[in-house]
Each structure stands twice: as C-alpha cells, then as structure tokens.
C-alpha cells in the first residue's frame, strides 16, 4: 500500500518544505499537496536522524500539522519511507532510460548511462541518500519491490558494460563486477555531495562517464577464467 491519493487540505496548502534539490520532480503527480509536503519533510528527517530515530512528530512539525495528521495520508511511518524509496528509484530509472540512445556505439551508450545516473544522484542527493541508506526498515513486501527496481539498474549497466568490453570474450564475472563498481561510484557520491560547490551534477556526470570508460579497459577482451 502506498500513499493515499487525496486532494489538497482545506484551508490552504501546508508550508513548503524546501530541499536543496528539485524535490518537486520526485513525487507522483497524483499525490496531494499535503502528502508531498510530508514526504519532503520526511526526506530531511530521515537523512538527518535516520528512520528509527525520526518520529511522526518530527515529520509533521515541519509542515505545521499534528502527528496524527500523517496517518490521514500514510498508514505507517514505514509507508512514508517506502514512498520515498520507491519514488526515488522510479525517477532515477526514468532519467536513466531517457538518456539511453535508441542506437549508438557501445562507448556512447555507457557514457550516457553513467552521466545520467550520476547527475540524477547528485541533483537529488538528499533523497537518494535516504533511498540507499534506509532500506533495512522496509517491510519484506516493500523491500522485494525495491529489489526488483534495483535489479533493473543492474541489468542496464551490465548490458552497457558487456557491449563495450565485448561480451563474447570477456569473463561474465568481470562484467558483473565492473557494472557493480560503476554503479557503486555513482551511488557513493550521495554521502558527500552538496549543491552549490565547484562540482556541478553535469560536470560530475561527465567525469564519472570518462572514468567508467577507462575502467572497462581492465577487462576488455580478457578471456573467461574457465577457458
């Protein structure tokens, strides 16, 4: 069960919860304004204090509501977390797929995939940090859904790596290790990245794309260890 789709609260919208990133692009369009405000508040709370240490009062206080108001829009605090993690993974997948060319040489495909993945995680670093660090509190059912989404990232990057290193001759284990390494580099930046520094999301995306291409040289045309 995900957030209840309700209209805006009567009497006006809740206070806007500002992240230092384009959070308005994260949430499903059919969520109510109040639900979106609560999700933005929860991102800040979970990123700062962690899921377990965050109370419903912490989340609702930022938008001027009582703790019980959260349950009008979400059944549990865990459901709030799931909505954040689900939305983050879906939006990142959408950005990644939109960046992939319909056709193109293997290097271009890998570069675009890496750049899009890195740029999204830089732009949405606070929400992405919650998406990466707060998976354990999810219910088994919700965690299984997120695992399916994460598997789609793995498939996209494994395919991109396989093409550039020549999957016919490369060790399949090397392909998987390289794809995971490239994904890990993009995810890791959410620990330290902040908007407003010298590294823009675009510049980081371009740098990591170059780095990923250079990384593939380590396994290009390497024969499988079983050969």
């Amino acid at each position: 069960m995900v957030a209840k789709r309700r209209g805006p609260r009567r009497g006006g919208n809740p206070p806007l919860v500002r992240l230092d990133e384009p959070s308005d692009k994260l949430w499903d369009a059919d969520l109510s304004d109040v639900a979106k405000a609560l999700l933005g508040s929860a991102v800040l709370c979970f990123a700062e204090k962690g899921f377990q240490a965050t109370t419903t009062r912490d989340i609702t206080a930022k938008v001027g509501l009582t703790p019980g108001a959260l349950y009008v829009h979400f059944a549990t605090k865990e459901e709030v977390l799931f909505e954040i993690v689900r939305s983050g993974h879906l939006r990142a997948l959408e950005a990644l797929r939109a960046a992939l060319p319909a056709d193109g040489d293997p290097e271009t495909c890998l570069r675009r995939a890496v750049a899009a993945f890195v740029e999204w995680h830089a732009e949405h670093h606070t929400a992405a940090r919650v998406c990466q660090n707060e998976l354990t509190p999810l219910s088994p059912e919700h965690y299984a859904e997120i695992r399916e989404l994460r598997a789609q990232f793995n498939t996209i990057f494994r395919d991109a790596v396989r093409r550039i290193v020549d999957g016919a001759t490369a060790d399949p284990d090397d392909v998987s290790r390289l794809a995971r390494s490239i994904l890990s580099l993009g995810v890791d930046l959410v620990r330290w990245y902040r908007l407003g520094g010298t590294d823009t999301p675009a510049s980081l995306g371009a740098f990591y794309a170059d780095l990923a291409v250079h990384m593939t040289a380590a396994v290009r045309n390497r024969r499988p260890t079983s050969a």
Side-chain angles (χ1 to χ4, degrees):
M1 181 179 179
V2 296
K4 301 173 185 177
R5 272 50 175 173
R6 294 180 180 269
R9 181 184 57 171
R10 294 182 181 228
N13 295 330
L16 180 63
V17 177
R18 290 192 177 277
L19 307 179
D20 62 339
E21 53 197 66
S23 60
D24 58 311
K25 299 178 181 179
L26 284 172
W27 318 124
D28 290 353
D30 58 345
L31 284 174
S32 71
D33 291 341
V34 177
K36 291 177 182 178
L38 289 167
L39 289 170
S41 175
V43 167
L44 294 177
C45 292
F46 294 157
E48 178 184 358
K49 303 173 67 173
F51 174 83
Q52 299 295 353
T54 296
T55 66
T56 55
R57 184 179 299 276
D58 293 329
I59 297 171
T60 57
K62 290 182 182 295
V63 292
L65 300 175
T66 61
L70 182 140
Y71 300 110
V72 175
H73 303 276
F74 301 92
T76 64
K77 188 178 71 166
E78 186 272 343
E79 188 181 287
V80 176
L81 175 64
F82 172 65
E83 186 73 8
I84 292 168
V85 176
R86 184 192 68 86
S87 296
H89 280 76
L90 285 174
R91 299 294 93 80
L93 269 174
E94 290 167 2
L96 177 57
R97 287 177 172 145
L100 294 175
D103 52 24
D105 63 275
E107 181 175 325
T108 297
C109 290
L110 180 62
R111 285 183 179 277
R112 290 189 180 179
V114 172
F117 186 77
V118 169
E119 286 184 37
W120 191 92
H121 281 77
E123 289 177 353
H124 302 277
H125 56 276
T126 308
R129 191 158 67 251
V130 174
C131 290
Q132 298 300 328
N133 295 344
E134 297 292 344
L135 297 177
T136 303
L138 293 174
S139 69
E141 179 183 1
H142 286 161
Y143 182 68
E145 186 170 336
I146 299 305
R147 282 189 64 185
E148 291 180 5
L149 293 174
R150 292 169 78 87
Q152 295 178 48
F153 289 101
N154 292 333
T155 298
I156 290 171
F157 275 89
R158 275 200 307 269
D159 289 346
V161 167
R162 187 179 295 111
R163 288 187 63 201
I164 199 171
V165 304
D166 184 0
T169 60
D171 189 319
D173 288 338
D174 283 341
V175 171
S176 294
R177 293 182 189 113
L178 183 53
R180 286 196 302 267
S181 297
I182 293 171
L183 278 165
S184 295
L185 285 172
V187 167
D188 183 71
L189 67 83
V190 304
R191 293 189 303 107
W192 55 265
Y193 186 77
R194 299 294 181 272
L195 292 173
T198 56
D199 288 321
T200 65
S203 66
L204 276 182
F207 180 83
Y208 277 53
D210 283 340
L211 185 60
V213 171
H214 286 298
M215 288 169 66
T216 64
V219 297
R220 286 180 189 175
N221 299 316
R222 181 185 294 177
R223 287 184 176 277
T225 55
S226 60

